[in-house]
Amino acid sequence: MARPRKPLLSRDRIVTTALALVDAEGLAALSTRRLAAELGVSGPSLYNHFATKEAILDAVADTVVGQVDVSMFDGGGTAGALAGSGWRQALLAWGRSYRAALSAHPNIVPFLAVGPGLRPAGLRMADAVFGGMVAAGWPPAQATRIGAAMRYFVTGSALGSFAGGFVGDEAAYDPADYPHLGQAHLLAQHRERVDEGAFDTGLRALIDGLALRYAAEVGGGDGMSEDGRAVDGG
């Protein structure tokens, strides 16, 4: 009988396997030797597709960023598309999509946080955000800072869980020492709700602040709704 053929090695297969390994065991588990074993190939065969382990990690990080929706900035080439409340709606939707992508793969976030480098999806995202903000009327320098500030906030939120950092033992929070943490032992049970709520609160606060700066620096109204919240459509 003919021997079964091994699946052909490809960049996509290497990246998919590397991401699964990082997701399951963390960044420290990824080595070219371990990855080759997972793929059922010899180590040197990986170098036909990637020159270094760092290049593999770059591709893995870019795959994750490629899952982020930036379609809300598609109108960045026209001045009116993101005017008014449009840029705020775009930042809100982008921030949520960005966090969702990173939260699905938290183990790659420390590597991804070092910057887009020459990663195509990361550069496309940076280009889309910058273009959208400039089209909305922000000066280029401020548009750069907005993209950076959003990235800092989203990446930081995906690095760990606030609620998950509290243990479930009520005795760990002696009221004599921590008089205001009587319910802290319950936080981990509601981790997703607490963490997502905290992210959304911070995201809205960031955009509210930007709306005030937009009104002062760019003009076009105060950027706020009647109840004092930034108009964001969400």
Side-chain angles (χ1 to χ4, degrees):
M1 291 181 60
R3 299 167 82 180
R5 295 180 59 189
K6 290 182 180 179
L8 293 175
L9 195 59
S10 66
R11 286 179 64 92
D12 285 347
R13 186 168 169 243
I14 292 170
V15 170
T16 299
T17 303
L19 178 57
L21 183 57
V22 171
D23 281 346
E25 300 183 33
L27 279 169
L30 184 67
S31 66
T32 52
R33 178 178 296 181
R34 176 69 187 280
L35 183 56
E38 292 287 329
L39 290 162
V41 299
S42 63
S45 63
L46 296 178
Y47 297 113
N48 293 325
H49 300 275
F50 292 97
T52 63
K53 172 187 163 182
E54 183 95 354
I56 295 173
L57 281 170
D58 268 332
V60 169
D62 210 41
T63 294
V64 172
V65 172
Q67 298 169 9
V68 180
D69 181 13
V70 293
S71 64
M72 65 287 297
F73 298 109
D74 284 349
T78 59
L82 295 174
S85 65
W87 66 267
R88 297 186 286 281
Q89 294 169 351
L91 285 181
L92 186 70
W94 171 55
R96 288 170 173 165
S97 177
Y98 194 2
R99 181 178 184 271
L102 270 57
S103 295
H105 306 282
N107 289 340
I108 194 64
V109 174
F111 182 84
L112 188 150
V114 301
L118 295 177
R119 304 168 194 161
L123 291 173
R124 282 193 294 271
M125 183 170 74
D127 180 74
V129 176
F130 178 80
M133 294 302 97
V134 170
W138 284 100
Q142 282 288 60
T144 298
R145 293 172 190 142
I146 290 169
M150 287 284 290
R151 186 170 174 277
Y152 298 152
F153 176 66
V154 174
T155 302
S157 76
L159 281 172
S161 166
F162 174 79
F166 290 85
V167 300
D169 181 5
E170 186 175 4
Y173 306 102
D174 188 330
D177 296 321
Y178 314 108
H180 306 296
L181 296 182
Q183 301 297 306
H185 64 287
L186 301 176
L187 286 172
Q189 299 176 28
H190 307 283
R191 173 175 174 166
E192 184 174 348
R193 182 161 60 88
V194 172
D195 289 345
E196 289 187 0
F199 172 77
D200 204 58
T201 296
L203 179 62
R204 288 177 179 275
L206 175 56
I207 295 173
D208 283 356
L210 288 173
L212 294 175
R213 294 204 65 169
Y214 185 84
E217 297 181 20
V218 181
D222 64 2
M224 307 295 288
S225 64
E226 292 181 0
D227 64 357
R229 294 171 63 91
V231 179
D232 58 24

